[in-house]
Amino acid sequence: AVAGTQQNQTAYFDTSTTLTISAILSDPGATLVLLDSGGVVIPRFNETEEDMEGGGKAVSFDANVSAGTGTLRLSAGAVEAGAVAVIDYKNDRYATASAFNLHNTRGSQVAVNAFVLDTGDVPLVGNGGTGQVTVTKADGTDMVLPLFDDGLHSDGPAGDGIYGAFLPGTNTTEAARYSLAVNMTIDMGGGIFVNRTGEGMFFVDYDQATPVG
C-alpha cells in the first residue's frame, strides 16, 4: 500500500469459526485489520506484536468469524508498506481417504472411500459435492479417479457424504504400499463451498488364493 493509503484483500470463510492471522508487515507504522462482510472491524484477541530486526514487524491475532466473505485491510503509515499474511482456520473439518480393505490381494479391485469430516465426527453432506482421489501406484505413477456419492461405488447410501471409487485390478499387480491424495469440495449453499484435501494409504501384499485339488 502506498504511504497513507489502504489496500484490501478479500478473505473467504467456509464456516463460522475461530481463526488465527499471522502476518509480516514491512513497516512498523502499518496496521492490519480484519473486516466482516459489512465492513465492520472484527474484534481481535490473543494479539501479539514484535518488531523485527532490520525493520518491519510480526503480528498475530485470533478472531471469530462467520461463514461468508471478509476483508483483510492493510493501512500504510508515513511510508509505503507491504504485508504477507497467513490465515489458520481452527475448525474440525478435514478430508480423509482410505481403502475399504487396508490389506488387499494382488490384481484385485480396490474400493476407495473419502469424505470431509464435520464437527461431531460425522461426514459433511451439505448440498452434495465433487471430489477426486489420486492413487500413487507402486511404480510411482499416478491414477486419478473421480469420487461418487451415489450408492454404487462402495460408498454406502447415496447422499450420505461418503464418496467412493474403484481402482481396477490391473493397477494393483505390485505388492506394495499405495498412497491416496484426495481433493473434495462440498456445496453448503448460499455460494459457500468447503474445499479440503487429505491423504490415506492401503497395502497390496499377498496373492489371490490358489484352489487346491
Side-chain angles (χ1 to χ4, degrees), residues 24-201:
I24 302 295
L25 309 184
S26 63
D27 175 49
T31 59
L32 189 70
V33 297
L34 183 62
L35 312 176
D36 64 18
S37 58
V40 177
V41 176
I42 298 174
R44 61 176 73 189
F45 54 97
N46 295 334
E47 183 175 3
T48 63
E49 185 173 308
E50 181 180 356
D51 290 336
M52 300 179 61
E53 185 177 351
K57 64 180 177 182
V59 300
S60 176
F61 60 88
D62 293 344
N64 294 321
V65 299
S66 299
T69 58
T71 301
L72 202 57
R73 174 173 291 171
L74 172 66
S75 298
V79 299
E80 183 177 1
V84 176
V86 175
I87 300 178
D88 178 20
Y89 294 88
K90 297 181 177 180
N91 63 58
D92 296 328
R93 289 175 174 170
Y94 65 91
T96 182
S98 63
F100 187 80
N101 294 312
L102 179 61
H103 294 271
N104 300 269
T105 58
R106 286 195 290 181
S108 65
Q109 176 178 263
V110 175
V112 176
N113 296 118
F115 56 87
V116 175
L117 192 68
D118 199 4
T119 302
D121 293 333
V122 295
L124 183 63
V125 178
N127 297 323
T130 59
Q132 64 179 33
V133 59
T134 301
V135 183
T136 301
K137 298 182 288 186
D139 61 3
T141 60
D142 293 335
M143 182 174 185
V144 179
L145 303 172
L147 291 163
F148 301 91
D149 185 12
D150 57 4
L152 302 175
H153 291 80
S154 191
D155 57 291
D160 65 350
I162 299 176
Y163 293 71
F166 292 115
L167 179 65
T170 52
N171 292 277
T172 63
T173 57
E174 296 293 329
R177 178 183 184 276
Y178 291 65
S179 299
L180 304 171
V182 64
N183 188 320
M184 301 189 66
T185 300
I186 308 298
D187 181 2
M188 301 303 293
I192 297 175
F193 296 87
V194 174
N195 180 259
R196 294 291 188 273
T197 59
E199 298 178 343
M201 57 90 177

